[in-house]
Amino acid sequence: MPQPTPDRQLTAALDAAARGWHVFPLVPGSKRPAIRGWQDRATTDAERIARCWHAGPFNVGLATGLSRLVVVDLDTPKGPDDLPPADWALPGIVEGTDVLAVVSERLEQPYPDGTFTVRTGRGGTHLYFRSPTGRELRNTGGKLGWKVDTRASGGYVVAAGSVVDGRSYETVRDTEPAVLPGWLADALTTRPALSPVRIPSSVPGRRAVGLVKTVLDAGEGERNNRLYWAALRAYETGGEAADGIAAALVDAAVSVGLAEGEARSTVASAERRIRGGR
């Protein structure tokens, strides 16, 4: 079990500061600030950092706003009773990474994992992004969904190299943070909380939820085209799961005003294209 030590924590603090990230001490073994006014006292000054961490094995807090960072915190359940709320009680949804994957799929965007990444002590994930120019983002809690928080202006995260309750925070993707994708910034600032769509429990996982939501979000004049596209993606998965997804797609199309016969015909066309050739 890793233990906080002055050398280990000092190295972690200096490494973060060398990236231009403002750090401050946390109580050893804890997430709590060890000083008052950390917002004003977080620093990148190596001499100040050395003096502070030579006094004890403080964990490393990273002031996200001062560091011009937005950190997406994808948490894990805290125990067997920490279950998703009804809106997120879907197959394949067990932690924050699953929720972000569903949100990405629904917005037709790639999962945003190509950036600096830290694994938290409890097995969660911190995705680090550079703040977009001209936009100030603040902390959010659950705006994107269950177990997805963000830390930005006015917030802080526990930095890699820290040890909380005997479990360490470790860098798992050491690269320059990417700029926060525009779609993600929009979702955090201008859109309401994203709630998933309910689909039958027999339909598997995160991709199915995104496909159904694609149909539900279709406006007049685009429903049939979206249904066809979603059905193609469903049948590309192969196996019996595709039929369950296809049935959910038909139900979604009917719920937004497409005639059932037309919806079934469109899905059948997609099936023939994938399974039987053009």
Side-chain angles (χ1 to χ4, degrees), residues 76-85 94 122 146-147:
T76 58
K78 294 178 172 60
D81 296 329
D82 188 5
L83 300 173
V94 297
R122 293 182 52 255
W146 181 66
K147 295 296 180 184

Side-chain angles (χ1 to χ4, degrees), residues 45-260:
D45 186 293
E47 290 186 6
R48 288 179 58 194
I49 292 169
R51 286 198 301 271
C52 175
W53 267 270
H54 278 141
F58 298 107
N59 271 337
V60 182
L62 194 160
T64 46
L66 287 174
S67 304
R68 297 295 299 159
L69 291 173
V70 177
V71 177
V72 179
D73 178 7
L74 306 172
D75 206 357
T76 58
K78 294 178 172 60
D81 296 329
D82 188 5
L83 300 173
D87 282 348
W88 283 104
L90 298 165
I93 303 295
V94 297
E95 59 183 36
T97 53
D98 304 314
V99 172
L100 183 60
V102 169
V103 172
S104 303
E105 179 76 22
R106 287 174 49 192
L107 297 178
E108 300 180 11
Q109 299 292 338
Y111 186 81
D113 59 350
T115 191
F116 186 90
T117 306
V118 171
R119 185 185 64 244
T120 72
R122 293 182 52 255
T125 301
H126 285 174
L127 300 175
Y128 284 51
F129 297 97
R130 299 201 307 276
S131 298
T133 302
R135 302 181 73 168
E136 183 180 29
L137 282 82
R138 302 196 66 83
N139 302 329
T140 67
K143 185 174 180 65
L144 293 180
W146 181 66
K147 295 296 180 184
V148 182
D149 300 331
T150 62
R151 294 294 177 262
S153 181
Y156 74 90
V157 293
V158 180
S162 299
V163 179
V164 176
D165 296 330
R167 294 173 290 196
S168 62
Y169 284 59
E170 301 289 347
T171 300
V172 294
R173 186 181 180 95
D174 192 353
T175 186
E176 285 298 309
V179 175
L180 184 73
W183 66 266
L184 191 48
D186 289 343
L188 289 169
T189 56
T190 62
R191 298 179 185 177
L194 293 166
S195 296
V197 110
R198 286 193 170 280
I199 58 175
S201 60
S202 59
V203 177
R206 58 183 69 159
R207 182 164 177 77
V209 176
L211 293 177
V212 172
K213 187 64 169 61
T214 295
V215 176
L216 289 174
D217 284 345
E220 189 171 359
E222 62 180 11
R223 295 163 186 159
N224 203 34
N225 286 338
R226 284 203 177 205
L227 175 60
Y228 183 68
W229 178 89
L232 287 175
R233 303 291 83 77
Y235 282 113
E236 284 173 352
T237 64
E240 295 180 0
D243 293 326
I245 299 172
L249 292 175
V250 170
D251 290 343
V254 171
S255 74
V256 294
L258 206 61
E260 183 174 353

Side-chain angles (χ1 to χ4, degrees), residues 254 258-266:
V254 171
L258 206 61
E260 183 174 353
E262 183 179 3
R264 291 189 181 280
S265 177
T266 296

